[in-house]
Amino acid sequence: MTAPATAVAHANIALAKYWGKRDEALALPATSSLSLTLDAFRSTTTVVPDDPEAQATGTDLATLDGAPMTGNSLDRVRRFLDLVREQAGGGGFARVTSTSTVPIGAGLASSASGFAALAGAGARAYGLDLDDRGLSRLARRGSGSACRSVFGGLVVWHAGTDDAGSYAEPVPGGEPGGALDPAMAVVVLNPGIKSVSSREAMRRTVQTSPFFAGWVESTEQDVSLMLDRVAAGDLAGLGELAESNALRMHATMLGARPPVRYWTGQTVAVLDEVVALRAAGLPCWATMDAGPNVKVLCAAADLDRVAAALSKGPDGDLDRLVITARPGPALSVAGAVA
């Protein structure tokens, strides 16, 4: 049975990073990771299976924010829907309509929310009966970090060694008002598409960086330590580990040939400001993904102060875009149930 379905998924920002695959075909990560799903960034996707126009053209059709998807982006959607249909035992071509509040390709986890929403809507549309863990595995095949966006709040992704063992699950303690009560100030320095995609940068780092083996070992340790900090309600300890982990990830990229550098002068300025805010008594910790933008972890009670300080800079004369975010919800799906 097939029927239209719509899903909403929120982006997540990793605290212990996912960087590098041990198996590209199955999107198995080199390390486990830990993330925080955010309420400020989301993707909404509708999948209409057996769409007449798609059937007539002999392929899936897709739009993002009202514009037709083309090139590699469309190819990734089509390959993912082929996987869904394979698991469902068949089904016709689909029309996919997506909207997103996440800047695309800017290191703000647009693929995480996008493919989590596509997994939720696609599975429901083609009648796949999957539990949350199954949806997490499915979303991973579209974009690794999408497996974490199936869940809200703090989420751990177990690296595993095969398809069955590589999935995400929620971690108690990251919910609003909980022991940690975390939040993030997202400093958007450049919302444009980065020059080197995450997939290419990961591949280059794995293949050529002499620091990659050390990155893998230390990140597995970081995930274990972070889970201990979460269980203890220790936001400061979690933040210190997250900032260190992010900087090590970027150092590993700098060791690639040719090097991958997403930082800009503005990025470094924000990192310095975060250190200065901590020294002045405002607890906050920076993290970065594959892009120039900086995410700053803090307590929800301090979020407005952190955002205000980073929007103006140390001299008070800047006007940076800073988006405030709190823990976001899990994937939601609406449509006919098979």
Side-chain angles (χ1 to χ4, degrees):
M1 171 183 170
T2 63
T6 299
V8 179
H10 287 72
N12 70 80
I13 298 299
L15 303 178
K17 301 298 184 184
Y18 154 51
W19 194 253
K21 299 182 180 73
R22 71 171 67 201
D23 185 318
E24 289 206 11
L26 291 177
L28 300 181
T31 70
S32 300
S33 57
L34 182 75
S35 66
L36 179 65
T37 300
L38 302 180
D39 62 356
F41 302 110
R42 67 184 180 277
S43 297
T44 303
T45 297
T46 297
V47 174
V48 180
D50 303 311
D51 176 76
E53 185 178 355
Q55 293 291 91
T57 56
T59 189
D60 298 301
L61 304 175
T63 61
L64 176 60
D65 293 330
M69 295 181 70
T70 60
N72 183 61
S73 297
L74 179 58
D75 289 341
R76 290 179 68 185
V77 169
R78 287 171 171 167
R79 286 195 299 269
F80 187 80
L81 290 175
D82 284 342
L83 175 64
V84 173
R85 286 186 286 260
E86 177 185 338
Q87 293 190 11
F93 295 112
R95 177 178 296 277
V96 178
T97 305
S98 296
T99 59
S100 177
T101 66
V102 193
I104 306 299
L108 291 169
S110 59
S111 65
S113 60
F115 275 97
L118 183 59
R124 180 69 63 85
Y126 285 97
L128 268 178
D129 183 18
L130 297 177
D131 60 13
D132 287 344
R133 187 172 293 184
L135 280 172
S136 180
R137 293 190 189 100
L138 177 62
R140 189 198 76 233
R141 299 289 297 275
S143 176
S145 56
C147 76
R148 299 186 306 237
S149 281
V150 171
F151 305 97
L154 286 169
V155 180
V156 62
W157 176 9
H158 304 289
T161 58
D162 57 15
D163 180 61
S166 186
Y167 59 87
E169 61 182 355
V171 177
E175 57 279 350
L180 289 173
D181 202 16
M184 274 192 178
V186 180
V187 185
V188 182
L189 300 171
N190 184 347
I193 297 175
K194 57 207 175 196
S195 59
V196 181
S197 71
S198 295
R199 288 195 170 200
E200 168 56 28
M202 279 190 192
R203 187 178 296 119
R204 191 185 303 175
T205 303
V206 172
Q207 293 174 351
T208 68
S209 177
F211 310 138
F212 185 70
W215 154 256
V216 170
E217 181 179 358
S218 64
T219 297
E220 286 294 351
Q221 295 170 356
D222 282 348
V223 172
S224 179
L225 291 170
M226 286 183 182
L227 290 173
D228 289 342
R229 300 297 188 271
V230 171
D234 180 6
L235 184 63
L238 178 63
E240 290 168 3
L241 288 165
E243 187 167 283
S244 172
N245 185 268
L247 293 174
R248 258 184 286 122
M249 181 185 78
H250 283 269
T252 304
M253 289 187 228
L254 290 173
R257 290 193 179 96
V260 179
R261 181 176 65 83
Y262 291 114
W263 301 20
T264 66
Q266 295 179 70
T267 303
V268 175
V270 174
L271 295 176
D272 287 344
E273 288 169 35
V274 170
V275 172
L277 288 175
R278 281 204 303 269
L282 185 54
C284 56
W285 303 269
T287 186
M288 294 172 54
D289 295 286
N293 306 300
V294 183
K295 300 88 175 180
V296 182
L297 177 70
C298 63
D302 295 327
L303 180 58
D304 290 342
R305 292 171 59 205
V306 170
L310 294 173
S311 66
K312 295 301 181 186
D315 299 323
D317 57 358
L318 296 175
D319 189 21
R320 295 191 188 110
L321 173 60
V322 180
I323 300 172
T324 57
R326 291 171 174 79
L331 171 74
S332 63
V333 185
V337 179

